Amino acid sequence: MRFLFSLLIFNMLGHIVAGQNLTVREFTSKLSKTTHPQILDARSAEEFAKNRISGAINVNLTDSIALAAVIKTLNPNTPTFTYSINSGRGFVLADVLRKAGFTNVYPLPGGLANWVGAGFPLENSSGNNGALTSQQFKQLIESDNLVLVDFGSHYCGGCRRLAPVLDSLENKYSNDLKIIRIELDDNLELVKEQKIEALPTLVLFEHGKTVWRHKGFIQTIDIEDIIQKRLTQ
């Protein structure tokens, strides 16, 4: 089932209508100017319970019956906005709606990671437990060693793929490299401050200064190349 759903996402992403893709600020502007927008959150119920864009309703892409029931309650001529944690599920849902006859559908590029990183608010039910303050983060990155910060989420597929890569680097460079893992849901303000646009995002700090930044999955050898260059300077 998981394989088939992944295949569905891959196939649908190949048919996205490029003309209706917006930047995060264009998305927000269009959303704010719509009187009664239809906002659909394509994440899991667990994710939705933690935080969401105000006014959104949760839909389950993996349950075709429930999805069809939600679609029947919507007006296909009303501007409809979709999102997930990254672009993936939000864009898939947008394609489903277009095929169902919806005329104005706008998926959020980069998903909630980009939304939060751009400084826009979420309704948050998870509280602020465990969140790093700006000062605590600054103390963590001001080190004699290189500090690699991983901004991610355990709900993000690319982040889960990256986890063993970081584990291997942590073991290999234990004397020269410190790795810090930042969970999006627990650190919304920090994600905003660091202007994170996608998950995962890796940021390499040297003496508290950013020396390298990368969005998305990356192979171990490519990160090692960056680390080796910094260590031999």
Side-chain angles (χ1 to χ4, degrees):
M1 177 63 72
R2 184 174 295 177
F3 170 76
L4 291 176
F5 181 58
S6 298
L7 185 61
L8 173 67
I9 289 179
F10 177 80
N11 288 335
M12 284 187 172
L13 283 175
H15 294 89
I16 298 299
V17 181
Q20 288 184 294
N21 293 346
L22 307 172
T23 67
V24 64
R25 297 196 179 279
E26 289 170 341
F27 177 97
T28 308
S29 175
K30 188 171 288 291
L31 176 61
S32 65
K33 292 176 182 176
T34 302
T35 305
H36 297 293
Q38 298 174 149
I39 311 171
L40 304 182
D41 185 315
R43 299 175 300 158
S44 68
E46 181 182 2
E47 293 171 88
F48 182 78
K50 290 184 176 182
N51 50 59
R52 67 214 69 84
I53 293 176
S54 180
I57 60 174
N58 190 212
V59 298
N60 186 351
L61 276 174
T62 62
D63 186 335
S64 59
I65 295 175
L67 178 58
V70 171
I71 290 176
K72 285 182 180 179
T73 68
L74 303 174
N75 185 339
N77 298 313
T78 296
T80 304
F81 302 83
T82 66
Y83 68 87
S84 56
I85 192 164
N86 276 325
S87 295
R89 289 170 288 175
F91 274 69
V92 170
L93 178 56
D95 203 43
V96 169
L97 293 169
R98 288 170 184 145
K99 290 178 179 178
F102 284 67
T103 54
N104 297 289
V105 184
Y106 307 99
L108 174 59
L112 286 189
N114 197 11
W115 173 275
V116 174
F120 299 113
L122 292 179
E123 287 184 347
N124 185 13
S125 303
S126 60
N128 200 36
N129 296 331
L132 284 173
T133 65
S134 297
Q135 185 60 35
Q136 288 171 328
F137 182 73
K138 184 178 180 181
Q139 290 172 349
L140 287 172
I141 63 175
E142 288 181 344
S143 169
D144 290 335
N145 292 344
L146 292 172
V147 179
L148 182 63
V149 180
D150 167 35
F151 290 91
S153 168
H154 63 276
Y155 297 112
C156 158
C159 303
R160 292 193 297 271
R161 284 181 62 210
L162 187 63
V165 171
L166 298 180
D167 290 341
S168 67
L169 291 172
E170 198 166 33
N171 290 329
K172 185 171 182 178
Y173 295 96
S174 58
N175 294 325
D176 302 299
L177 177 71
K178 177 169 67 175
I179 295 180
I180 299 170
R181 294 166 175 82
I182 303 295
E183 181 76 17
L184 172 90
D185 286 329
D186 298 330
N187 294 277
L188 297 178
E189 283 302 314
L190 189 58
V191 168
K192 173 182 173 180
E193 289 173 13
Q194 294 297 312
K195 296 181 171 56
I196 302 303
E197 298 176 344
L199 299 181
T201 289
L202 295 176
V203 185
L204 186 65
F205 293 90
E206 188 169 16
H207 303 298
K209 304 295 183 182
T210 302
V211 294
W212 176 78
R213 190 178 180 106
H214 179 84
K215 293 187 292 185
F217 179 78
I218 183 171
Q219 298 289 345
T220 307
I221 189 172
D222 296 319
I223 305 178
E224 280 197 89
D225 183 54
I226 299 297
I227 292 171
Q228 291 287 0
K229 286 179 180 177
R230 302 308 305 185
L231 291 176
T232 55
Q233 281 187 351

